[in-house]
Amino acid sequence: MRSPRPYSPRTGPAAAQSLTERRKAATQLDIARAACTLFAEHGPDGTTAEDIAHRAGVALRTFYRYFRNKQEAVAPLLATGGDTWRAMLAEEAPGTPVAEALERAITRTLTAPQAVAEGLEVTRGLLRAAATDPALRAVWYRVNQDSEEALVPLLARLTGDGADPLSIRLLAAAATDAIRIALELWSATDTPCTGPNSPQHLAIRSLRALTASLPLANAGGGGPRPSA
C-alpha cells in the first residue's frame, strides 16, 4: 500500500493545520520515536513493524496507514530538523545577506538545547544504522531532497525577484548538502554535539566551501565572515 510522504515540508504557520492534521502528525511522530528507539536497541534487522506499532501504542493497521515499511517510519523525526531550520530561515528579513541568514539559521538549529539534548544523538544513531541498511539510507536521502525543494521559495523570498532561478536552486542544494554532509561525518565519530567538529561547526565549514563560487551567496556580505 502506498503511504503519503510523512511530514511533508511546510512553510506556512503551524496554525494553518487543522486539528485532524495535527493529530495525524503527532501520531506519526510517536511512531517515529518508537522506531528510532527500537533501531537503537536492536538495529533495523532486529526490529519489525509490529514491534514499532506496539512500542508506539498503535494498531499495526495504523502503522501501515502512514508508512510503507519500518525504515520509512523514521522520516518524521529526521524531517523535524529541516522543518526547524527552514522556519528559522523564514524569520530572516528579505534583503538580508543570504550567507549570513543561512549561517545564522544553521547555528540556531544545531545548537538549540533540544537539538543538542535529543535530536542530534537520535540522528547519529540512525545514520550509523543507515550505513548498513540501504532502505534506511534511502529515507535519509529523500528527507534531504524534500528539504531542499522546500528551501527554494524561502531563498527566493530572501534574494528578491531579480535573482537567477538557477542560482537559487544551486544555493538550495549547497545549503542542504552542507548540513547533510556535516551530520554524516559527525555521526561516524563520537565527537560531542557542540564545539570543534560538531554538526554546527562542520555545517558552516561545508556551507562556505560549497558556496564559495556562488555569487548569490557572496553578494552583500559586508566583508569576511566570522569563523565557524
Side-chain angles (χ1 to χ4, degrees):
M1 179 175 64
R2 181 177 176 81
S3 64
R5 283 188 173 186
Y7 267 60
S8 296
R10 300 184 302 272
T11 56
Q17 286 187 294
S18 68
L19 178 60
T20 298
E21 289 171 331
R22 291 197 296 273
R23 285 175 174 168
K24 287 180 178 179
T27 299
Q28 287 179 313
L29 199 54
D30 286 343
I31 295 171
R33 290 193 179 105
C36 291
T37 299
L38 289 170
F39 286 169
E41 292 175 356
H42 308 292
D45 289 342
T47 301
T48 66
E50 290 87 348
D51 294 333
I52 297 170
H54 180 73
R55 178 67 68 95
V58 301
L60 185 60
R61 65 178 179 274
T62 300
F63 176 93
Y64 281 117
R65 184 182 304 156
Y66 297 117
F67 305 109
R68 288 175 296 224
N69 55 56
K70 61 186 179 182
Q71 288 90 348
E72 188 173 300
V74 305
L77 203 58
L78 289 176
T80 55
D83 290 343
T84 299
W85 99 272
R86 289 193 311 277
M88 291 184 176
L89 189 63
E91 295 176 3
E92 298 285 342
T96 302
V98 177
E100 176 185 319
L102 286 170
E103 291 191 12
R104 183 160 44 237
I106 287 172
T107 297
R108 290 175 65 196
T109 302
L110 294 179
T111 60
Q114 184 176 0
V116 171
E118 176 184 1
L120 289 175
E121 288 298 344
V122 169
T123 300
R124 172 147 53 189
L126 286 173
L127 290 180
R128 286 180 173 178
T132 57
D133 191 304
L136 192 56
R137 193 158 59 247
V139 173
W140 168 243
Y141 288 136
R142 194 202 75 208
V143 166
N144 278 272
Q145 179 63 36
D146 286 347
S147 185
E148 178 185 324
E149 292 172 3
L151 183 58
V152 171
L154 294 178
L155 292 176
R157 171 183 167 273
L158 277 177
T159 55
D161 295 335
D164 174 31
L166 175 60
S167 296
I168 293 175
R169 288 296 303 272
L170 289 172
L171 187 56
T176 303
D177 279 348
I179 298 175
R180 178 183 62 80
I181 291 168
L183 289 171
E184 289 173 355
L185 287 173
W186 172 78
S187 70
T189 73
D190 294 321
T191 303
C193 295
T194 59
N197 296 318
S198 65
Q200 180 267 346
H201 180 258
L202 292 173
I204 297 298
R205 283 182 58 197
S206 299
L207 180 69
R208 292 178 181 179
L210 290 170
T211 61
S213 63
L214 296 180
L216 192 60
N218 295 287
R225 285 176 276 181
S227 61

